[in-house]
Amino acid sequence: MRPLRTTPILLALLTAAAGAATVTPGPAAPRPIRPESVSAFNLGNWMPVVEHLPTLRALNAAGLRWPGGNIGDEQNRTPQALQTLKSNWTMLGQPALMIQTRVFSRPGGNQGGAEARNTPQDAADLVRLARDLGLKVTYWEIGNEPDLYATNRGDPSWTPERYCGVARAQRAAILGVDPQARIAGPAVSNPGPFLDAVIQTCGDAFDLITWHLYPSNGDGTPAQALASIERARSTLARVEALWADPVTNPHAQGRPLAQGVTEYAQSWRSDRSTHLSDAVGGLWAAGAALRLSEGGAVFNAYFSLMATGNHGLIDDAGFPRFGYAAFRELAHYRGLTLDLRSDDPAVWVHGAQPIGGTQLTVFALNTADTPTPLTVRLPGYAVIGAKTITDADVNADRPPRPLDVRGPVTLPPLSFTRLVLKASLLPAPEQP
């Protein structure tokens, strides 16, 4: 039997049958990338930062939020706690820093019966303490997830109106110490009626409107989990509409809106690995970071940096997860954005160009469970290299592996690939 001869036409048909993606430029102009919009993380004093410094420094963290999660409403900001923060912040390069003030308290205050330090005067003292330690604080965030105080924490007195009273009082106390301080909030668990009411009641109390994004509890299918990525952009647009309307934002009309997503992950369940510590969770997290950054959110902190159950880019034993590998590649997302389009909805593409540089970086996230050939058609540029990561690579402790760039680049299933393009002297291929 004669061997099958693969003609160009047959090869094209086989490629099309297997599924393929093509990347082309979109119409939007490049914009500066804020590093803290894509490479920021929640930090807690329970995290053994010093034990994993080379691994963590590879993330090139541009922003930190402390203390991560609802522990901020369980523990006081003591001098010892701030000193630990300073040590970790310094080791990580002193990136932009957001510190939560304490708002909620249980009867009896803290574990052991210590009094809760959550008054406006306590917020002012916190600013003084941070200043005396040499901490450079970009934002002071008033509390954490106040929309859950009435339900998950069993205190129905916490209405949006009560929270707004606390936010205004703490803001005034903070500005009394540092008139240049910037105030963030309300850091709700997910946007909804509580956030709407806060914007309507005291939107003018904040320089940065913050919210969290947790689309699920990990119960859905991989397809459902990945589809929820659209909530990143749609929620930004929803808050923009609220802010622009004098009915829903009567107190801050004329003030520019700045948004920050100070916790995000596909699932909020730290006790479940599904769609968190796996490839689906890592792809979703990286995709959300890129969408939030491109959508204009200025400070977006993934939850969490490390050692937080199934949350954490590095697990409790110190082993990196898929999400870590993806965010390590996103350390290259700097400079100017590139508006890129993929004709395959399962392949998410984003791009960046260093300011004044001649190379482009394209990030291709293949959310399909099959290999996908990828062709990049950016006039004047040619792909000169590509490296990819999969869950299997991460679990085997392998570094990103190179892909063949002679022709379409085959993206492995559920993979994160970084492609590098260089200005080409060859004429761009004709569009079909």
Side-chain angles (χ1 to χ4, degrees), residues 69-87:
N70 60 18
I71 199 168
D73 285 316
E74 301 289 348
Q75 297 181 357
N76 288 328
R77 314 299 187 265
T78 64
Q80 295 83 1
L82 267 290
Q83 185 60 62
T84 300
L85 164 63
K86 181 180 179 181
S87 297

Side-chain angles (χ1 to χ4, degrees), residues 211 213 229-238 290-292 294-295 349-350:
W211 42 275
L213 185 61
I229 194 69
E230 290 307 318
R231 285 185 55 180
R233 286 176 174 151
S234 64
T235 308
L236 288 173
R238 179 180 179 276
L290 289 161
R291 283 166 170 78
L292 293 171
E294 291 174 352
V349 293
H350 304 265

Side-chain angles (χ1 to χ4, degrees), residues 197-407:
V198 167
I199 289 176
Q200 187 169 46
T201 305
C202 62
D204 58 320
F206 305 105
D207 303 293
L208 180 71
I209 297 294
T210 59
W211 42 275
H212 300 166
L213 185 61
Y214 291 107
S216 83
N217 62 2
D219 279 345
T221 65
Q224 290 171 327
L226 292 166
S228 70
I229 194 69
E230 290 307 318
R231 285 185 55 180
R233 286 176 174 151
S234 64
T235 308
L236 288 173
R238 179 180 179 276
V239 176
E240 287 174 1
L242 287 170
W243 192 262
D245 190 335
V247 174
T248 52
N249 176 28
H251 302 294
Q253 285 300 301
R255 289 180 54 180
L257 169 66
Q259 295 191 64
V261 183
T262 50
E263 291 182 26
Y264 64 94
Q266 206 288 318
S267 165
W268 57 268
R269 290 288 298 265
S270 295
D271 59 333
R272 292 181 181 174
S273 62
T274 309
H275 305 158
L276 261 188
S277 60
D278 55 12
V280 169
L283 287 169
W284 187 96
L290 289 161
R291 283 166 170 78
L292 293 171
S293 177
E294 291 174 352
V298 300
F299 193 106
N300 310 309
Y302 177 71
F303 192 81
S304 67
L305 182 61
M306 65 181 302
T308 315
N310 286 295
H311 282 113
L313 301 179
I314 301 174
D315 70 16
D316 294 7
F319 292 100
R321 291 170 166 150
F322 188 102
Y324 168 83
F327 275 100
R328 183 183 57 202
E329 297 303 303
L330 289 183
H332 299 278
Y333 186 72
R334 299 292 189 269
L336 301 172
T337 62
L338 295 177
D339 182 20
L340 302 180
R341 305 297 167 93
S342 166
D343 61 1
D344 183 345
V347 177
W348 306 342
V349 293
H350 304 265
Q353 180 177 22
I355 296 175
T358 60
Q359 292 187 347
L360 309 180
T361 302
V362 174
F363 301 91
L365 288 68
N366 185 17
T367 66
D369 57 7
T370 54
T372 304
L374 178 75
T375 300
V376 180
R377 289 181 174 163
L378 300 182
Y381 286 86
V383 177
I384 61 171
K387 290 187 176 181
T388 195
I389 52 172
T390 65
D391 228 8
D393 297 321
V394 173
N395 293 334
D397 201 24
R398 292 192 293 259
R401 51 193 167 91
L403 298 177
D404 188 351
V405 298
R406 296 169 298 179

